């Protein structure tokens, strides 16, 4: 996933689109968790459809931590992990070798319902221009069936 995404679909519409229901913890979510530009480096709270409970959406912090890290300390972890990408950009060539991804690549996947994403491209004179990608009908981007079904 790119570092910048757009999520404008309400939780109720995500439930309907993916035929899932909310799975909530002890802390209720008051906001819709919609963003016109969610920046991965800020690690926002997003709805996800976890592989292990694929008939639900649940709120989760954007990012991944190594299996030996304590999730309750995620703010400190991400502050220190920024120097090596903070688990925001898994590359397929290194997925099974990288210490963050290799233990969860096959068993802890999720779908993150987004309406689009921003991909920076380098323009002349080396400045970045963000291109925005979305579906023509504006609905959430559907995952590849092969990723979703594993």
């Amino acid at each position: 996933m790119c570092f910048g995404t757009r999520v404008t679909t309400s939780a109720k519409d995500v439930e309907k689109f993916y035929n899932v229901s909310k799975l909530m913890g002890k802390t209720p979510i008051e906001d819709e968790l919609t963003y016109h530009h969610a920046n991965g480096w800020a690690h926002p709270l997003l709805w996800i459809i976890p592989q292990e409970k694929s008939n639900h959406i649940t709120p989760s912090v954007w990012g991944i931590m190594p299996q030996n890290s304590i999730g309750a300390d995620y703010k400190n972890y991400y502050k220190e992990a920024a120097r090596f990408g903070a688990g925001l950009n898994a590359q397929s060539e290194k997925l099974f070798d990288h210490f963050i991804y290799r233990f969860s690549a096959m068993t802890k996947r999720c779908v993150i319902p987004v309406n689009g994403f921003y991909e920076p491209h380098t323009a002349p004179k080396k400045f970045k221009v963000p291109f925005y990608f979305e579906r023509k009908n504006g609905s959430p981007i559907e995952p590849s069936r092969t990723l979703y079904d594993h």
Side-chain angles (χ1 to χ4, degrees):
M1 177 174 279
C2 301
F3 298 135
T5 64
R6 184 170 181 250
V7 181
T8 56
T9 305
S10 70
K12 181 173 253 164
D13 287 340
V14 169
E15 288 179 280
K16 185 177 178 182
F17 185 82
Y18 289 99
N19 192 28
V20 295
S21 60
K22 279 188 201 173
L23 178 65
M24 300 296 297
K26 295 177 183 177
T27 306
I29 301 297
E30 302 295 328
D31 299 327
E32 272 294 340
L33 303 184
T34 58
Y35 307 90
H36 287 284
H37 184 256
N39 183 338
W41 293 101
H43 302 283
L45 195 61
L46 299 169
W47 291 111
I48 69 164
I49 303 171
Q51 179 179 5
E52 57 272 18
K53 297 222 183 250
S54 61
N55 56 343
H56 296 287
I57 59 171
T58 189
S60 187
V61 172
W62 183 356
I64 187 171
M65 296 175 66
Q67 72 176 27
N68 63 345
S69 295
I70 300 171
D73 196 27
Y74 72 93
K75 289 182 182 179
N76 286 331
Y77 170 78
Y78 287 133
K79 188 184 299 182
E80 294 297 318
R83 68 180 183 271
F84 58 84
L88 292 175
N89 196 14
Q91 296 174 340
S92 61
E93 307 84 40
K94 300 176 184 175
L95 188 66
F96 298 104
D97 298 325
H98 195 281
F99 75 98
I100 291 179
Y101 309 111
R102 71 176 167 225
F103 298 108
S104 59
M106 295 306 290
T107 59
K108 299 207 187 251
R109 295 180 184 202
C110 70
V111 171
I112 304 172
V114 300
N115 296 89
F117 60 93
Y118 298 90
E119 183 66 37
H121 292 273
T122 304
K125 299 190 182 185
K126 300 189 181 195
F127 68 91
K128 299 286 185 180
V129 176
F131 284 92
Y132 179 68
F133 297 88
E134 67 180 341
R135 293 186 64 177
K136 284 184 180 181
N137 65 5
S139 66
I141 296 172
E142 293 184 75
S144 161
R145 295 311 300 169
T146 56
L147 288 177
Y148 191 68
D149 291 337
H150 278 98

